[in-house]
């Protein structure tokens, strides 16, 4: 037999082993092992050569102690594809294995050695195919026999197989590529790579190969050089280190493992390495939690011996005392004394600072009101109010009329001094449900509000006026949505616009709105119910509700808005509002009247121009030139005829033509 490149040395070993009797201590002690033969059956292997490979496998199996609890054997052959002859769980007697090997029919195609190793790793050595689990530490051995150069890559897949715990022996015959054999085999290569000159010598080589698969204690036979311990494997050995140490690159010496070095310990504060393991430690003033990784600060205050008058605050070094706001910690470090905050801070109050326990606030002289900044004082604002308009978006309004309602809203906005410190405007639409279109604190200019109004989409469906009032009281006039505190004396005005009877009860939430200080105006159009409008309106009712027969004439709601809101001086009546609030309400009425007056004039011109066009049209004829009775009354009133109250007021019987 000739071995290349280790053939001379291996031949000498074989001759020596054959010439001298083996001591009893070196008697073959096979198994348990999991062995898979990976046999090349490509077209370059001639039939009589393949027969020699059969005998090679049969001879090796004949000297193994096979069985379910001893050595298990599997065989696969490959060429351009891989074929499983029998797996590790198929046969447990030499006779069955020999019969199966003799029945192999060569594939006679290409040489896909990498594919065969991949199959060996992913299939042949799985528990499902009969391999024992890794934790049982039974060696997994693959014997690859090939006669040519692989037609695919073997380096990467062989590395993966070795990393998976498979020990690979590479046996090359005749034309086999030594570089590929070395890429396949496990280290040390001199013990796992063999090159046999011819198929005739492979059976003779098998005898020597059997010794490597036997249970000879290679750690005893060799000068292994392991620093800690040597582990014998069939035909080889490897070094292991004691717990807490790792094997160095020379695969023999050992060094302590720093378990904290890789940064995966998860310790929140400190990692302490100890002989291959680690433990977590916390900084002073902290304790280790049950997860043995995270830390929590020690609650020194919970010990109950802090003597703090107000609050105890735990810190890593112990604890300290803290006083409530408006109090100062005394030199003893535990007691507290009240502080005059007005003397100790730059309060910025224009008139006077008033200290309360733990806080302070500014006040203004009688007749002036506190500004929005909570510090300055001013006389009455120019009609500044918090105004929420609640508009009916039910199905009966219809889309074209809803656009008129939005124009009505924007005309009111045009005459308001909108700003965060001036008038704030919010809009709510309702039908069967309620939707805040924008709250009081959403927009800070009239242009922003008008743009938002024109983008409002018509809701349709029912008329739940009571639900809308509830929403207005609970949400729209809350400080969260931009209403200013009641202490600022900024009037809160709710203007409800509806065109029909409510489908729910309005009485309770209309009452609550007025009791909460909201001045309620009710505007009805078309089929609106007078009793409901009166229930919504603030006292005096006649000054806070209005009605129009239809949407095109709703601009004639001037009458009610002309009346004063605040009691007049000299009447002997009780003053129920501050002067500033009354002035703001009067200013709001004045602005609203101006809007309605402008819209009224535009409607009169629209009617006159329409009739003029009708008279001049030959297609319409003379019948179209006649005004309807209601229109004639409206025009007469609008031009000043038949009503001593002025040219901008419609007759009362026209404005309040309710269906009772």
């Amino acid at each position: 037999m000739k071995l290349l490149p280790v053939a001379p040395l291996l031949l000498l070993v074989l001759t020596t082993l054959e010439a001298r009797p083996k001591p009893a201590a070196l008697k073959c002690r096979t198994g348990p092992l999991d062995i898979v033969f990976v046999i090349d059956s490509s077209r370059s292997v001639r039939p009589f050569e393949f027969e020699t490979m059969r005998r090679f496998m049969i001879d090796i199996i004949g000297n193994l102690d096979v069985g379910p609890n001893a050595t298990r054997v599997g065989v696969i052959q490959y060429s351009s594809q891989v074929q499983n002859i029998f797996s590790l769980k198929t046969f447990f007697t030499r006779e069955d294995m020999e019969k199966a090997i003799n029945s192999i029919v060569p594939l006679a195609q290409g040489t896909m050695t990498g594919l065969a190793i991949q199959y060996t790793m992913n299939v042949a050595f799985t528990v499902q195919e009969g391999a024992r689990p890794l934790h049982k530490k039974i060696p997994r051995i693959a014997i690859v026999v090939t006669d040519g150069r692989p037609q695919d890559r073997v380096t990467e897949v062989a590395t993966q197989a070795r990393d998976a715990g498979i020990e690979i022996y590479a046996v090359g015959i005749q034309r086999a590529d030594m570089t590929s054999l070395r890429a396949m085999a496990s280290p040390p290569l001199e013990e796992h790579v063999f090159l046999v000159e011819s198929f005739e010598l492979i059976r003779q080589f098998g005898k020597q190969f059997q010794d490597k698969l036997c249970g000879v204690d290679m750690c005893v036979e060799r000068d292994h050089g392991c620093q800690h311990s040597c582990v014998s494997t069939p035909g080889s050995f490897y070094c292991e280190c004691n717990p807490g140490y790792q094997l160095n690159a020379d695969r023999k010496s050992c060094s302590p493992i720093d378990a904290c070095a890789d940064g995966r310990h998860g310790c929140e504060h400190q990692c302490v390495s100890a002989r291959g393991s680690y433990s977590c430690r916390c900084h002073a003033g902290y304790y280790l939690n049950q997860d043995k990784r995270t830390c929590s600060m020690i609650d020194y205050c919970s010990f109950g011996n802090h003597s703090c008058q107000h609050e105890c605050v735990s810190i890593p070094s112990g604890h300290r005392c803290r006083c409530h706001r408006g109090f100062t910690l005394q030199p003893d470090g535990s007691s507290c004394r009240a502080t005059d905050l007005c003397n100790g801070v730059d309060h910025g109050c224009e008139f006077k600072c008033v200290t309360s326990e733990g806080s302070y606030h500014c006040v203004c002289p009688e007749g002036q009101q506190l500004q929005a900044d909570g510090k300055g004082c001013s006389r009455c604002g120019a009609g500044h109010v918090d105004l929420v308009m609640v508009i009916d978006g039910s199905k009966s309004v219809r889309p074209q009329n809803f656009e008129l309602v939005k124009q009505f809203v924007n005309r009111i906005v045009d005459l308001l001094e909108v700003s965060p410190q001036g008038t704030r405007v919010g809009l709510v639409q309702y039908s069967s449900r309620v939707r805040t279109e924008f709250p009081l604190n959403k927009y800070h200019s009239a242009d922003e509000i008008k743009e938002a109004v024109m983008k409002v989409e018509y809701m349709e469906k029912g008329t739940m006026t009571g639900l809308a009032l509830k929403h207005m009281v609970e949400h729209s006039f809350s400080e969260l949505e931009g209403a200013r505190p009641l202490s600022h004396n900024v009037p809160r005005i709710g203007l409800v616009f509806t065109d029909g009877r409510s489908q729910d009860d309005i009485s309770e939430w209309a009452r609550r709105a007025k009791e909460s200080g909201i001045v309620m105006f009710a505007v009805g159009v078309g089929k609106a119910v007078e009793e409901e409008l009166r229930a919504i309106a603030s006292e005096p009712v006649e000054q806070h509700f209005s009605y129009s027969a239809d949407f095109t004439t709703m601009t004639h709601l001037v009458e009610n808005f002309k009346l004063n809101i605040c009691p007049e001086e000299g009447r002997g009546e009780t003053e129920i509002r501050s002067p500033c609030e009354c002035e703001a309400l009067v200013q709001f009425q004045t602005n609203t009247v101006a809007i309605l007056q402008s819209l009224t004039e535009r409607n009169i011109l629209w009617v006159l121009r329409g009739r003029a066009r009708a008279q001049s049209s030959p297609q319409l004829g003379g019948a179209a030139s006649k005004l309807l009775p209601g229109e004639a009354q409206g025009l007469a009133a609008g031009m000043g005829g038949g009503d001593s109250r002025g040219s901008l007021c419609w007759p009362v019987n026209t404005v309040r033509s309710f269906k009772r």
Side-chain angles (χ1 to χ4, degrees), residues 168-222:
I168 301 177
Y169 287 88
V171 180
I173 303 173
Q174 289 184 339
R175 299 169 297 278
D177 178 52
M178 178 55 75
T179 302
S180 300
L181 296 177
R182 295 174 64 86
M184 287 185 256
S186 297
L189 297 180
E190 61 270 17
E191 297 180 2
H192 291 80
V193 177
F194 304 96
L195 185 61
V196 182
E197 188 178 49
S198 67
F199 280 93
E200 289 78 7
L201 297 176
I202 191 169
R203 288 191 63 191
Q204 184 179 354
F205 163 74
K207 296 178 181 179
Q208 185 253 344
F209 194 74
Q210 290 169 11
D211 288 343
K212 291 189 171 293
L213 297 181
C214 288
V216 177
D217 191 345
M218 300 299 292
C219 292
V220 175
E221 292 294 305
R222 296 289 187 88

Side-chain angles (χ1 to χ4, degrees), residues 407 409-418 446-447 450 595:
Q407 294 175 18
V409 170
N410 276 349
R411 293 301 297 274
I412 293 178
V413 174
D414 274 334
L415 295 182
L416 299 175
E417 295 182 15
V418 177
D447 289 340
K450 290 168 63 179
I595 296 167

Side-chain angles (χ1 to χ4, degrees), residues 346-364:
D346 182 14
H347 53 74
C349 296
E350 180 181 337
F351 177 66
K352 184 178 180 181
C353 175
V354 178
T355 297
S356 56
E357 183 174 344
S359 183
Y360 71 90
H361 64 277
C362 300
V363 296
C364 294

Side-chain angles (χ1 to χ4, degrees), residues 586-606:
V586 170
Q587 182 66 43
F588 171 72
Q589 274 194 334
T590 302
N591 290 344
T592 307
V593 166
I595 296 167
L596 295 173
Q597 175 180 331
S598 173
L599 292 174
T600 299
E601 292 172 348
R602 291 176 61 188
N603 272 358
I604 292 172
L605 291 174
W606 177 82

Side-chain angles (χ1 to χ4, degrees), residues 372-386:
D373 62 2
K375 297 180 180 181
C377 300
S378 64
R379 296 194 174 274
C380 299
H384 296 167
V385 297
D386 285 345

Side-chain angles (χ1 to χ4, degrees), residues 6 60 249 556:
V6 293
I60 292 179
H556 310 301

